[in-house]
Amino acid sequence: MSIKVLIDENTIKKRIKELAKEITDYYKQYTDTIHAVGVLKGSVHFFSELILNIDLNVKYSFVHVSSYQGSTSTGRIRVKSWIDESIEDEYVLVIEDIVDTGLTLRYILKYLRKYRPKDLKVVTFLEKTVCDHGVDLDFVGFKIGNVFVVGYGLDYNEKYRNLPYVGYIE
Ligand code: IMP
Ligand code: MG
């Protein structure tokens, strides 16, 4: 299988810097501290690069949730680990790799809301615009079409996560 570049490394870095500024500017009006909740495993590189560019105090939590096998959603969510810090009354920013059907994110948001955060926002690295996923995304890195992408954290059966760019399988 050969991988074609969809979004190159420089374009990713540049967009993440812009996104971090948008996010910093938004929160600065309200708070100096936010609580980031990274969705494992796909968001690791995006999470890290984004937060290194956010000019606020950032607390870290992670959830590990999966629904995919190969390149198709199983439609069932498996929670492998969950947040270990309280988010009650905090400004929470969920950091996701990609939103496709929205199933994963809807599930995560539903349960995080129960802890009564002061504010709950979402940033996703990629958004697939094919599905009407129905999730309110506050910040989006890139919108892409109906392609299965890998790299920059995203996998196909656990492969290709460490490619420094976003590619698609031909
Ligand atoms: P959703 O629940 O359908 O929105 O899918 C979201 C999750 O499925 C993401 O967090 C990814 O882990 C995975 N996923 C969806 N599309 C892709 C893709 O094109 N490449 C790799 N993983 C994907
Ligand atoms: Mg994911």
Side-chain angles (χ1 to χ4, degrees):
M1 276 194 282
S2 81
I3 310 283
K4 284 264 160 78
V5 178
L6 185 68
I7 311 169
D8 68 50
E9 211 174 334
N10 281 335
T11 309
I12 293 173
K13 283 239 157 99
K14 191 166 156 262
R15 178 66 189 128
I16 292 179
K17 278 219 167 75
E18 288 171 7
L19 209 49
K21 172 133 195 342
E22 268 179 57
I23 290 169
T24 304
D25 289 347
Y26 167 75
Y27 283 111
K28 279 238 160 111
Q29 314 170 74
Y30 309 104
T31 183
D32 61 359
T33 305
I34 65 169
H35 195 139
V37 177
V39 183
L40 295 172
K41 300 177 220 177
S43 75
V44 275
H45 302 297
F46 178 56
F47 182 97
S48 171
E49 186 70 22
L50 182 71
I51 284 179
L52 288 173
N53 285 283
I54 288 180
D55 186 22
L56 298 160
N57 305 311
V58 184
K59 297 184 182 178
Y60 293 20
S61 286
F62 298 94
V63 295
H64 186 185
V65 171
S66 74
S67 67
Y68 266 64
Q69 257 168 5
S71 62
T72 47
S73 175
T74 60
R76 293 219 323 267
I77 307 281
R78 283 184 60 197
V79 177
K80 297 179 173 176
S81 70
W82 198 242
I83 52 167
D84 62 338
E85 307 277 340
S86 170
I87 57 166
E88 190 179 336
D89 250 353
E90 307 215 324
Y91 285 85
V92 174
L93 178 65
V94 175
I95 302 184
E96 174 65 300
D97 53 358
I98 185 166
V99 180
D100 182 6
T101 64
L103 187 76
T104 309
L105 207 48
R106 248 196 311 279
Y107 180 93
I108 292 169
L109 292 173
K110 176 177 158 194
Y111 286 96
L112 290 183
R113 230 172 252 126
K114 293 187 197 282
Y115 302 107
R116 302 184 172 280
K118 185 169 216 124
D119 185 57
L120 185 58
K121 295 243 164 337
V122 178
V123 57
T124 185
F125 176 50
L126 304 174
E127 177 188 14
K128 280 192 191 171
T129 53
V130 268
C131 266
D132 180 15
H133 57 67
V135 184
D136 258 334
L137 302 174
D138 302 282
F139 307 97
V140 175
F142 299 93
K143 296 188 182 203
I144 62 170
N146 192 18
V147 277
F148 191 82
V149 286
V150 294
Y152 210 75
L154 293 149
D155 74 306
Y156 174 71
N157 280 337
E158 295 303 322
K159 240 182 120 180
Y160 308 117
R161 286 197 198 275
N162 65 328
L163 296 176
Y165 55 85
V166 173
Y168 61 97
I169 301 168
E170 276 245 286

